[in-house]
Amino acid sequence: MRIVIAGAGPAGMVVARTMVERGHDVIVLEKRHVPGGKVSAWQDADGDWIESGLHVFFGAYRNLLAFLERYGLGDTFNWKPAEMIFVSERHGLAPIRFVPWLPTPFNGLAGVFAFKPLSLADKLRMGLGLIRVIFGDQEYVDQQDNETYASWHLRHGMGQRSLDEVMHTMALALNFQRADRVSAKLPLTAMLHFAHEKEAPRMALVKGSPDTNIWRPLIAQIERLGGKVELNARVAAIEYDAETNQVSGFRLDDGRLVTGDVYVSAMPVHNLRKVLSPALREMPYFANLNHLKGSPVITMQLFFDRRIAGVDNLLFSAGTHLSVYADMAIVAPEYHKGERSIMQFVVAPAAELITLPDNELVQFVMGEFVRLHPIAREAKLLKHTIVRIPNSVYQALPGVDKYRPDQATPVRNLFLAGDYTRQPFLASIEGAVISANRCIERITEAQARGDLIIQPQLLAAAD
């Protein structure tokens, strides 16, 4: 069976690596010059790595970790202690540490009760307000989708202070939107995992570039097994035959038609919408995709002549646009630059900032960074890089979850993979891996039912 996959991000690569191992003829088409999608990286003219985002991995990412371990990439990450370090002008560095010798959920509750930016009354209100989630299940969390997290938080007796000091920052780190914008389901899902799984809050970053540590090794494995990953190959249209209710090929922007037996869109949802034929757009299944909008986000790297933050972990800030950041020269050993810093920031919310000229954007970020780390005033800024992403993960707004599609489409040989599709986790690399596994299940089920028509000429070519 020949499988044509559009998109070499995490979901597309998981489908490709798994299916090529099962003996299928796999080709991956990626529009960019690098693989990895939202978790991509490339080198600039100086040889420094630029990343599309600050790629954070959690112990809760069990499907991703199992996938990488299976294919010999389990030693990819530099693991950090289970703690969230918040930075503010008033309190400096203030961690929420998960106490390792306590069982869940008390390991996390103990960390919250030691968190100095909150008063004792705030901590008690927060602990009581989260009891239903801490001792609850995903079914309850799913039922909270029609309300913003901020509304849910206040309705359950938790104060504005804990919302401002903790939860807005958490929502921005998860979805690049504040807690008064995102569905309650989003932060509650994360807290549910933290409350039930001892390893869930552990955080890690790739030891260096995701390109060299994850994607290029996977491509080499795929190609050794006879598959193909073609970069700079943008799918411009999905060719659809309404009479047979089948996709007849992926049309590339260079005019080529790439054909197969099964087609997988592992493209971001906004790119998928662009390539659908009019007949497909009229189907309710695909029309629902219009409800899924991407979150804008900016990734900025500032290269300094000296160490600034000096923390070997992620940093979260409340009340700024620097929702999460890290010194990559410390947290990622392969980026080590002696005593210099490479500060990498997730700048969000970004809707009003993304169109600013580079110099104004750098000035804005520097202004907020210096307020948090005054020592930065004494440092020399050597260079900067900026990556603007108008459509990143889908905006997890209230009421949107019901529009997320199943991986099997109404078209008999077209399937979807991506963190925006129906899966129980967050929009993240773990969600992408889960969606890929579900996509593989749907393909396998369709093949078992006899729904897939294997083209004779493709069979001959495979033989």
Side-chain angles (χ1 to χ4, degrees), residues 1-2 7 16 23 33 71 99 117 138 196 200 246 254 266 269 406 454 456:
M1 184 165 64
R2 189 175 200 221
H33 70 289
Y71 295 115
V99 181
Q138 190 66 48
H196 289 199
Q246 289 195 108
D254 62 7
V269 64
D406 190 87
I454 310 302

Side-chain angles (χ1 to χ4, degrees), residues 2 4 27-32 228-239 248-260 263:
R2 189 175 200 221
V4 184
I27 178 168
V28 183
L29 305 168
E30 167 56 46
K31 73 171 186 176
R32 300 171 65 209
K228 183 179 181 182
V229 179
E230 187 174 341
L231 304 178
N232 296 305
R234 186 177 75 86
V235 174
I238 296 176
E239 302 282 343
S248 55
F250 282 168
R251 180 74 64 182
L252 305 188
D253 60 359
D254 62 7
R256 287 183 294 151
L257 184 67
V258 181
T259 60
Y263 299 85

Side-chain angles (χ1 to χ4, degrees), residues 82 104 112 159 191 241 350 363 389 463:
T104 59
V112 171
M191 286 189 278
D241 183 346
Q363 186 177 7
I389 304 179
D463 293 341

Side-chain angles (χ1 to χ4, degrees), residues 39 48 89 94 145 160 184 222 226 228 247 255 280 338 353 383 397 399 402 410-411 423 429 443 463:
V39 193
D48 292 314
E89 292 181 78
D145 183 59
Q160 187 68 40
I222 290 167
K228 183 179 181 182
V247 168
L280 291 176
L353 301 175
K383 65 183 272 190
L397 305 179
K402 61 179 174 286
V411 180
Q423 47 88 12
I429 188 170
I443 295 170
D463 293 341

